[in-house]
Amino acid sequence: MHEHDVLVVGAGGAGLRAAIAAHEEGADVAMVTKLHPVRSHTGAAEGGINAALHPEDSWELHAYDTMKGSDYLGDAPAVETFAQDAPDEVIQLEHWGMPFSREEDGTVSQRPFGGLSHPRTTYAGAETGHHLLHTMYEQVVKRGITVYEEQQVLDLAVTDHDDVEDRECHGVVAYDIASGEIQGYRATNGVILATGGPGQVFDHTTNAVANTGDGYAMAYRAGVPLEDMEFVQFHPTTLPSTGVLISEGVRGEGGILYNDEEERLMFEYGYANNDGELASRDVVSRAELTEVNEGRGIEDEYVHLDMRHLGEERILDRLENILHLAEDFEGVDGLDEPMPVKPGQHYQMGGVECDENGHTCIDGLYAAGETACVSLHGANRLGGNALPELLVFGARAGKHAAGGDMKEAEISTGPSAKSEAGDLSEEVEIGAVDAGNRSVAADGAAIDAGTVVDAEVQRQEERVDRLLEDEGVNHAQVREDIQQTMTANVNVFRREDNLVEALDDIREARERYQHVAASDPSRTYNTDLMHTMETRNIIDIAEAIAVGALAREEFRGAHWREQYQERRDEEWLKHTMLAWNDGNPELYYKPVLLEAEKEYEPKERSY
Amino acid sequence: MSTQIEQEQTEEQTEAETAEPAEQSPQERRLSEKKARAEAREREEQAREEVRDADDTVQIKVFRYDPEVEGKSEPRFDDFSVPFFKGMTVLDALIYARDHYDSSLTFRHSCRQAVCGSDALFVNGQQRLGCKTQMADLEGPVRIEPLPHQDVVKDLVVDMEHFYEQMEAVEPYFQPDELPEGEREEQRQSPENREKVKMSTRCIWCGACMSSCNIAAGDNEYLGPAAINKAYRFAMDEREGEIQKEDRLEIIEQEHGVWRCQTQFSCTEVCPKDIPLTEHIQELKREAVKSNLKFW
């Protein structure tokens, strides 16, 4: 049994920032991570970090853009905290030696990004995330923070009180990938979930293979509601064959989208007459797919993104990484020809419900980064807002978990924040998600803080033994079926019959999952077993997304519904919550907070 | 065959050129040129595909070893036949083999876009990232082994512990003398200096360089190209303090540091991020000499 004040699960951007912040508060902090920290998917982020650094810019403008971009589903206290803290976080990174791109006078460069009223995206070439990840890991090494690497966290050790708000998190249980051992980790102060996104729920995604949303699923099964899961961002420029991301920086620098008639589609078909290629990501993704669906796509699949006119010098200075990606993964020379692009799953706006200090409704349990839903991005995230999010809220979660002095949160969480019960017009048997719940944290484990970690260790040992010893279904086919049905039915365009079909497929996958087993019997580096356990998480998250999408009968941000072609503020200005109560998920809503220091009046989003 | 293709292309291009209307905006002209190029490329690709093997499968020979499982504790190679598709990478082939033939086949991989550094492998006798190596560029059967000179944990997974220790031995973190005064004041860096350290900051810690290095293979304490490159990243940054720079030079000057490098360039050759590693090591040797001279 390992014991620390604060445990951070996941060592990408949010986890590293949280660990540094907790360490600065004087806590004994350790990170438990499925990968080595520098393998985290934050390293694949390309575009940049938004922060109002310029004297003519302001946090108020950044907050306003973020609220507008969110289609008024962001909570104002989260959005304002974010915009206020972001500049300090960027300067902090700069002081840690992050190799930002520079202006002639040596200051940090900023460039325009979609949906921003001022060029406030700081960047390091088109590999900003790589530099951010490595710079922060350097700081973790400098501080001597303990990192338990290649440890797959299987579940949280949470007490079993009936009321979720009485539950406490005392640690986690992890599977040592190299040795196959199950290990308990006790946290005396708090556990911070920073496990990244769940892109593997879809089969065309920019996300890494490791991004199976483990944190979402573990928090959900322990009783924390998942918030606004129907809002999935599809990035408009991913390479068709692999899903590799082509940064929004290309459009920020002036890249142009063409259809197969060689028309500048964003203008010629009127998708965004004001902002063209730099309209919000949801707008551009729909525009591209509409072109393809109406027969103006190239090879009936994609459109072209052209950056040749920017000139070799500028491309090499600011977008060099894009040239390598297009060359290596699509065989296209971006200096000489346009790049093929299509929308791909990129980011989950929703996530584990928490307040602006990262705290969830379970005592001692925090979430940060993409795993969390504060909520900052609402119905649509602006490009360049993910990296400052993981800095700002990673730091706050770390500080709070370490017992730092913080202002009380304005965002309320948990069942007591509930405003109304949800209602699904379509019958989906919401209670049916219970199958295969033998690893639910809160099912009679313990109330006694002293034994809760041990009890969970024992439960996970039994689970792993069973998966290794039994004969059963291979996870790979179950996972693939989920990914395919999600891409076919819960993609950019959503229709009721498709959503119901996806839910049926997910239920069927859940049935089959009850009979899975790893066919590799080894205790040494058993990736078959790892992926089998991840698939469980993928099923739970896919279901939360599909249920949320079916329930929300309106068109807002990234969520498009065929039957409902407008934003319906009177009915739907509220967060979709899905809570797992002893295997009986409950759909409910909570109000959006549109007022903090400033008040944000919902307006029509126009580009 | 290739001559024929070329001829067709020329004819097509001439046709396209003559058919063009006299008045064309620069954009239209550029776009029609692009279209012509795209068409030519498509024809080339089609031809290449036809020429390629009659059956569209590729063969891979994969190193297998599991200390724990009977029948696998003696190292061996397994052959897999994998359906080929255009753009298929070594990683794609491995994933196919694992998901369709043998789910115990073990290898590290995550981002599959050459940035996480987890799938460095020894492919047809060279260190490469599986995710960015096209199967079409390799001679078959493609032989896939774990990185040489590192302990094998299982199949293609090697123990990276030693590599990480060496990376951390050079104190890989920024240590400026003092922070700039004033609220939100940056430590300005000239674009030229950023350009100087740029390549060195691209390292993804994949370990390919270390595995390719003969010296590292013979001297377990040698810092190795990646760690020395990490030292370069800070030593050459104009914002680092003088004392820290000297300290770091001392680390890389020690017995198992830069002087061990025999400039064989194998690290530079295999680096998937094109970092001029050997050059960086040489430059640090010069810096080390200069800094020693100062004290004489």
Side-chain angles (χ1 to χ4, degrees):
Chain A
M1 173 87 67
H2 302 280
E3 187 168 323
H4 297 274
D5 296 339
V6 175
L7 284 174
V8 180
V9 183
L16 293 168
R17 188 65 192 88
I20 295 169
H23 185 266
E24 280 176 350
E25 280 302 313
D28 163 29
V29 51
M31 312 188 74
V32 192
T33 164
K34 190 158 79 169
L35 308 167
H36 181 279
V38 303
R39 312 271 178 249
S40 305
H41 201 55
T42 298
E46 294 168 8
I49 313 172
N50 296 338
L53 293 178
H54 197 271
E56 282 165 26
D57 200 1
S58 66
W59 73 260
E60 288 92 344
L61 277 173
H62 189 184
Y64 174 78
D65 290 343
T66 303
M67 282 302 280
K68 175 168 167 260
S70 80
D71 236 346
Y72 301 91
L73 209 63
D75 283 336
V79 171
E80 291 187 351
T81 302
F82 162 75
Q84 286 164 355
D85 286 6
D88 287 339
E89 286 294 331
V90 168
I91 296 303
Q92 170 79 86
L93 263 184
E94 203 272 353
H95 288 178
W96 286 339
M98 164 124 172
F100 281 105
S101 290
R102 301 275 168 173
E103 294 300 322
E104 278 307 315
D105 67 357
T107 54
V108 169
S109 295
Q110 295 193 285
R111 66 181 165 205
F113 246 49
L116 299 184
S117 56
H118 196 277
R120 70 170 73 90
T121 308
T122 63
Y123 59 97
E127 52 205 38
T128 312
H130 165 81
H131 294 303
L132 178 141
L133 180 71
H134 283 256
T135 301
M136 284 207 288
Y137 181 59
E138 287 158 19
Q139 293 300 312
V140 162
V141 172
K142 184 180 182 181
R143 288 164 172 76
I145 293 170
T146 307
V147 180
Y148 299 101
E149 66 191 46
E150 296 198 328
Q151 302 286 325
Q152 182 179 24
V153 173
L154 300 180
D155 237 326
L156 307 171
V158 173
T159 59
D160 191 26
H161 296 85
D162 283 341
D163 185 344
V164 169
E165 288 172 24
D166 290 337
R167 290 182 195 163
E168 299 152 13
C169 181
H170 292 281
V172 304
V173 177
Y175 159 73
D176 182 323
I177 298 166
S179 73
E181 264 176 68
I182 302 292
Q183 306 200 40
Y185 293 81
R186 191 191 307 281
T188 46
N189 275 26
V191 170
I192 302 170
L193 293 172
T195 57
Q200 288 298 319
V201 166
F202 291 84
D203 77 352
H204 187 82
T205 173
T206 64
N207 283 198
V209 179
N211 288 16
T212 50
D214 304 344
Y216 294 75
M218 290 188 292
Y220 177 47
R221 294 197 296 261
V224 184
L226 293 180
E227 177 173 357
D228 291 336
M229 291 297 282
E230 64 272 31
F231 296 103
V232 179
Q233 180 161 80
F234 294 86
H235 195 290
T237 59
T238 72
L239 297 177
S241 60
T242 50
V244 164
L245 177 70
I246 295 300
S247 166
E248 184 164 317
V250 176
R251 284 171 291 136
E253 297 290 346
I256 295 173
L257 291 168
Y258 293 106
N259 62 16
D260 85 325
E261 319 256 308
E262 287 146 7
E263 294 163 318
R264 194 169 173 181
L265 57 103
M266 293 305 294
F267 291 106
E268 303 209 15
Y269 287 87
Y271 298 113
N273 286 327
N274 297 327
D275 296 351
E277 282 82 3
L278 271 184
S280 243
R281 290 175 174 180
D282 55 322
V283 176
V284 183
S285 291
R286 281 192 295 273
E288 291 174 3
L289 278 189
T290 304
E291 290 294 294
V292 171
N293 292 343
E294 291 180 1
R296 294 185 299 273
I298 299 152
E299 292 183 354
D300 287 331
E301 195 195 352
Y302 55 86
V303 297
H304 271 150
L305 174 62
D306 195 350
M307 63 175 183
R308 293 172 296 177
H309 54 285
L310 303 177
E312 188 170 342
E313 194 187 340
R314 183 143 155 223
I315 293 174
L316 284 176
D317 182 42
R318 300 173 174 204
L319 300 165
E320 187 189 336
N321 184 41
I322 300 306
L323 288 178
H324 298 312
L325 294 174
E327 175 68 44
D328 290 344
F329 297 100
E330 214 70 52
V332 165
D333 177 359
L335 289 175
D336 200 39
E337 48 200 324
M339 301 175 284
V341 292
K342 73 172 198 181
Q345 191 283 347
H346 181 56
Y347 189 90
Q348 175 59 259
M349 267 78 73
V352 177
E353 185 205 36
C354 64
D355 64 28
E356 62 268 41
N357 296 329
H359 201 225
T360 71
C361 60
I362 291 182
D363 196 25
L365 185 62
Y366 297 78
E370 189 171 342
T371 310
C373 181
V374 185
S375 106
L376 171 64
H377 309 301
N380 176 57
R381 175 174 71 79
L382 294 181
N385 264 358
L387 296 180
E389 177 198 19
L390 59 82
L391 294 169
V392 168
F393 293 108
R396 295 177 74 89
K399 186 176 175 186
H400 193 278
D405 189 20
M406 319 245 342
K407 202 176 122 199
E408 200 176 327
E410 288 174 48
I411 295 171
S412 49
T413 60
S416 53
K418 177 174 171 174
S419 66
E420 56 184 297
D423 173 33
L424 278 175
S425 59
E426 193 66 20
E427 192 96 354
V428 291
E429 295 177 58
I430 212 166
V433 299
D434 191 26
N437 74 335
R438 289 176 63 182
S439 67
V440 175
D443 67 350
I447 290 186
D448 175 16
T451 59
V452 62
V453 179
D454 291 329
E456 191 54 36
V457 166
Q458 199 186 341
R459 199 202 320 266
Q460 293 302 326
E461 275 171 352
E462 285 164 15
R463 177 187 182 198
V464 165
D465 287 348
R466 194 175 70 244
L467 288 172
L468 286 176
E469 286 158 18
D470 284 5
E471 291 288 321
V473 177
N474 182 282
H475 77 90
Q477 194 58 50
V478 178
R479 185 187 285 213
E480 196 180 315
D481 289 349
I482 291 273
Q483 291 170 332
Q484 281 175 358
T485 193
M486 290 299 282
T487 299
N489 298 311
V490 200
N491 209 302
V492 173
F493 294 122
R494 295 164 174 187
R495 293 168 227 281
E496 184 164 320
D497 54 341
N498 290 126
L499 295 170
V500 172
E501 190 181 324
L503 275 167
D504 287 344
D505 290 345
I506 294 165
R507 299 265 147 75
E508 197 199 323
R510 193 182 286 285
E511 283 298 312
R512 280 156 63 208
Y513 189 82
Q514 284 186 286
H515 310 289
V516 291
S519 58
D520 184 356
S522 177
R523 295 251 170 202
T524 305
Y525 221 96
N526 191 333
T527 52
D528 190 19
L529 177 66
M530 269 177 78
H531 296 152
T532 302
M533 294 186 288
E534 288 170 349
T535 300
R536 169 80 205 278
N537 299 337
I538 286 176
I539 296 172
D540 285 342
I541 297 164
E543 186 157 57
I545 294 171
V547 167
L550 187 61
R552 185 172 286 270
E553 296 178 336
E554 66 159 352
F555 169 19
R556 184 185 299 270
H559 177 66
W560 180 99
R561 282 284 303 266
E562 184 186 46
Q563 285 164 281
Y564 309 97
Q565 282 297 295
E566 51 186 27
R567 198 175 82 192
R568 296 165 64 200
D569 283 345
E570 279 181 21
E571 230 181 308
W572 287 100
L573 208 53
K574 58 191 180 187
H575 298 293
T576 310
M577 313 299 298
L578 194 65
W580 177 292
N581 290 329
D582 293 331
N584 194 12
E586 181 194 1
L587 182 70
Y588 67 88
Y589 295 98
K590 84 169 184 179
V592 176
L593 305 175
L594 292 178
E595 196 181 333
E597 281 183 48
K598 310 275 172 197
E599 198 178 335
Y600 303 86
E601 179 73 27
K603 286 186 198 129
E604 198 187 333
R605 231 162 35 116
S606 60
Y607 289 95
Chain B
M1 179 107 191
S2 65
T3 332
Q4 202 188 338
I5 295 165
E6 272 169 31
Q7 274 172 359
E8 275 173 23
Q9 270 170 25
T10 327
E11 277 165 30
E12 278 267 330
Q13 271 166 1
T14 327
E15 255 174 53
E17 271 159 29
T18 47
E20 270 168 22
E23 283 175 50
Q24 246 190 346
S25 75
Q27 192 200 25
E28 282 170 329
R29 198 163 48 245
R30 192 168 47 75
L31 287 168
S32 65
E33 281 168 11
K34 177 193 73 175
K35 198 170 179 180
R37 270 203 308 276
E39 283 169 0
R41 233 188 357 266
E42 203 175 301
R43 276 193 305 276
E44 268 176 28
E45 183 55 41
Q46 272 171 6
R48 262 203 300 273
E49 266 182 26
E50 282 166 26
V51 180
R52 216 176 271 139
D53 317 335
D55 59 352
D56 52 354
T57 58
V58 285
Q59 313 301 320
I60 54 175
K61 284 182 95 61
V62 186
F63 178 88
R64 304 301 303 272
Y65 165 72
D66 185 336
E68 214 192 303
V69 174
E70 205 178 327
K72 272 188 75 185
S73 55
E74 281 299 312
R76 66 168 200 278
F77 281 86
D78 276 356
D79 294 335
F80 299 100
S81 178
V82 177
F84 179 80
F85 61 86
K86 185 175 167 277
M88 179 180 232
T89 63
V90 168
L91 179 63
D92 292 329
L94 284 172
I95 291 174
Y96 189 93
R98 180 193 68 198
D99 288 353
H100 293 86
Y101 300 133
D102 181 354
S103 60
S104 73
L105 177 57
T106 305
F107 45 93
R108 286 193 184 97
H109 67 114
S110 186
C111 78
R112 76 323 173 220
Q113 62 177 83
V115 71
C116 79
S118 56
D119 68 340
L121 297 163
F122 198 56
V123 181
N124 279 3
Q126 197 185 322
Q127 286 80 1
R128 309 172 202 250
L129 286 188
C131 66
K132 68 171 274 193
T133 304
Q134 294 285 323
M135 287 295 286
D137 294 343
L138 300 168
E139 217 170 285
V142 175
R143 202 176 153 96
I144 307 171
E145 299 165 77
L147 286 182
H149 309 311
Q150 268 135 303
D151 292 336
V152 177
V153 177
K154 176 174 170 182
D155 293 349
L156 301 171
V157 174
V158 294
D159 186 351
M160 294 289 287
E161 198 56 43
H162 177 62
F163 176 82
Y164 296 144
E165 275 167 16
Q166 301 301 69
M167 290 303 281
E168 289 174 13
V170 297
E171 297 183 5
Y173 32 81
F174 191 55
Q175 306 178 76
D177 268 344
E178 54 190 21
L179 288 173
E181 280 174 33
E183 199 194 357
R184 291 182 184 170
E185 190 59 43
E186 299 149 48
Q187 317 165 92
R188 298 191 180 201
Q189 181 187 25
S190 66
E192 296 74 30
N193 185 248
R194 178 179 183 269
E195 199 59 28
K196 184 170 179 60
V197 297
K198 186 174 85 178
M199 292 309 287
S200 68
T201 62
R202 293 207 172 145
C203 175
I204 54 172
W205 297 41
C206 69
C209 56
M210 187 83 141
S211 162
S212 77
C213 175
N214 279 333
I215 315 306
D219 173 4
N220 200 35
E221 287 174 65
Y222 175 42
L223 286 171
I228 298 175
N229 173 71
K230 191 83 184 165
Y232 177 98
R233 178 260 171 277
F234 295 108
M236 294 299 169
D237 194 310
E238 65 188 11
R239 298 166 300 169
E240 274 258 286
E242 271 307 308
I243 299 165
Q244 281 78 11
K245 184 174 169 176
E246 294 297 333
D247 285 352
R248 196 169 276 112
L249 285 176
E250 263 176 45
I251 298 173
I252 55 121
E253 255 196 291
Q254 43 142 319
E255 194 187 343
H256 301 278
V258 287
W259 302 109
R260 285 285 152 126
C261 169
Q262 296 179 2
T263 52
Q264 293 172 342
F265 288 93
S266 51
C267 54
T268 304
E269 205 171 292
V270 301
C271 176
K273 301 312 261 186
D274 299 324
I275 303 170
L277 292 162
T278 313
E279 213 172 286
H280 287 170
I281 300 173
Q282 297 314 304
E283 213 173 326
L284 282 182
K285 285 180 184 170
R286 289 194 290 273
E287 284 294 309
V289 172
K290 273 195 283 183
S291 92
N292 284 343
L293 283 176
K294 254 194 319 207
F295 294 110
W296 287 353

